[in-house]
Amino acid sequence: MVEAVRSRAKTYFEDVAPTHDWHHVRRVATLAETLAAEYDADETVLFVAVWLHDIGRGREDRGEIDDHAEWGAREAKRILADFDPARETVEAVQHCVRAHRFSNDVEPETLEARLLSDADNLDALGAVGIARNFCYSGEHGKPLHDPDRPIETDDTAAGSTAVNHFHKKILRIPKRMHTDAGRKLADERRAFVEPFVDRFEREATGER
């Protein structure tokens, strides 16, 4: 079932911006595999959820839906009906999809949901995370940096510039991890991002 769901999920990413495209989903799958190696997770639930977790992202980006995680959970149920899994499996996958989103208030209550959330957050850190942040800012018309919008006075939830987004969200990710394995990888990736942000801010003010 996992491979069949993977093939179905891929069809939802034909016109999705690079920040949340199919390559992102594949990276999340690799990270989930790394994390799951240290735990006794239900891999069917985990990887079905991995492939489905962002199937609504393109629709949200186009303004067709408000919450890709909630819509994706409902769509996951419809997709899984074709494979006739146990009701518990469907509900477990739906919970994973609902709970993966960084900015919502759904707490991951199962190991599989925690692993998916951690894997998804890890892709926002490190070198890939830096690239995705600037890519996302370009997609949404945000400036890279604005000296008139310092982090101290930026009252937006996610940051009004790419650099502020690092401070508002990216550098805080390690504290939001749910597993020890995820936290370890997050700390390693944060250690790469932090000096980059410091260097960027110094260069942006004309320092050498």
Side-chain angles (χ1 to χ4, degrees):
M1 182 173 70
V2 174
E3 284 305 308
V5 169
R6 180 185 188 277
S7 297
R8 182 79 67 85
K10 188 178 180 180
T11 66
Y12 288 75
F13 292 85
E14 294 176 355
D15 186 26
V16 177
T19 311
H20 293 95
D21 61 10
W22 185 245
H23 300 299
H24 160 67
V25 178
R26 290 174 61 186
R27 290 192 301 269
V28 171
T30 300
L31 287 163
E33 185 175 7
T34 298
L35 298 178
E38 300 193 30
Y39 299 93
D40 186 22
D42 184 326
E43 294 197 357
T44 296
V45 169
L46 174 60
F47 287 99
V48 166
V50 165
W51 298 125
L52 296 175
H53 80 280
D54 267 352
I55 56 175
R57 189 74 206 203
R59 295 196 66 182
E60 181 179 316
D61 289 345
R62 295 189 294 271
E64 299 170 4
I65 58 174
D66 293 327
D67 184 343
H68 76 275
E70 180 58 39
W71 183 90
R74 296 195 301 270
E75 186 72 356
K77 182 177 181 179
R78 190 185 70 80
I79 292 171
L80 291 177
D82 292 342
F83 304 100
D84 196 28
R87 177 177 59 84
E88 293 79 7
T89 298
V90 176
E91 291 176 350
V93 169
Q94 287 187 287
H95 174 64
C96 290
V97 174
R98 285 192 178 99
H100 86 273
R101 189 172 195 175
F102 183 96
S103 58
N104 69 15
D105 295 322
V106 180
E107 189 70 18
E109 298 176 352
T110 65
L111 173 60
E112 293 76 25
R114 291 191 288 271
L115 290 169
L116 172 56
S117 178
D118 281 4
D120 190 47
N121 280 330
L122 281 168
D123 199 49
L125 273 170
V128 169
I130 290 171
R132 289 183 68 213
N133 184 20
F134 287 121
C135 186
Y136 183 86
S137 295
E139 291 169 8
H140 294 269
K142 289 186 176 183
L144 302 181
H145 170 71
D146 184 343
D148 295 326
R149 303 182 199 176
I151 188 63
E152 295 79 11
T153 61
D154 188 343
D155 59 1
T156 62
S160 59
T161 69
V163 170
N164 287 2
H165 185 66
F166 282 117
H167 293 290
K168 290 275 189 174
K169 176 181 176 181
I170 306 301
L171 291 173
R172 297 179 180 181
I173 286 177
K175 294 182 179 180
R176 292 179 57 102
M177 303 301 281
H178 300 283
T179 67
D180 289 340
R183 197 170 297 110
K184 179 181 178 181
L185 288 178
D187 286 339
E188 292 174 2
R189 292 190 175 206
R190 186 186 192 278
F192 180 87
V193 175
E194 197 166 30
F196 171 85
V197 174
D198 179 67
R199 175 66 181 256
F200 185 100
E201 290 177 327
R202 285 189 289 110
E203 290 186 6
T205 60
E207 294 185 29
R208 297 181 62 184

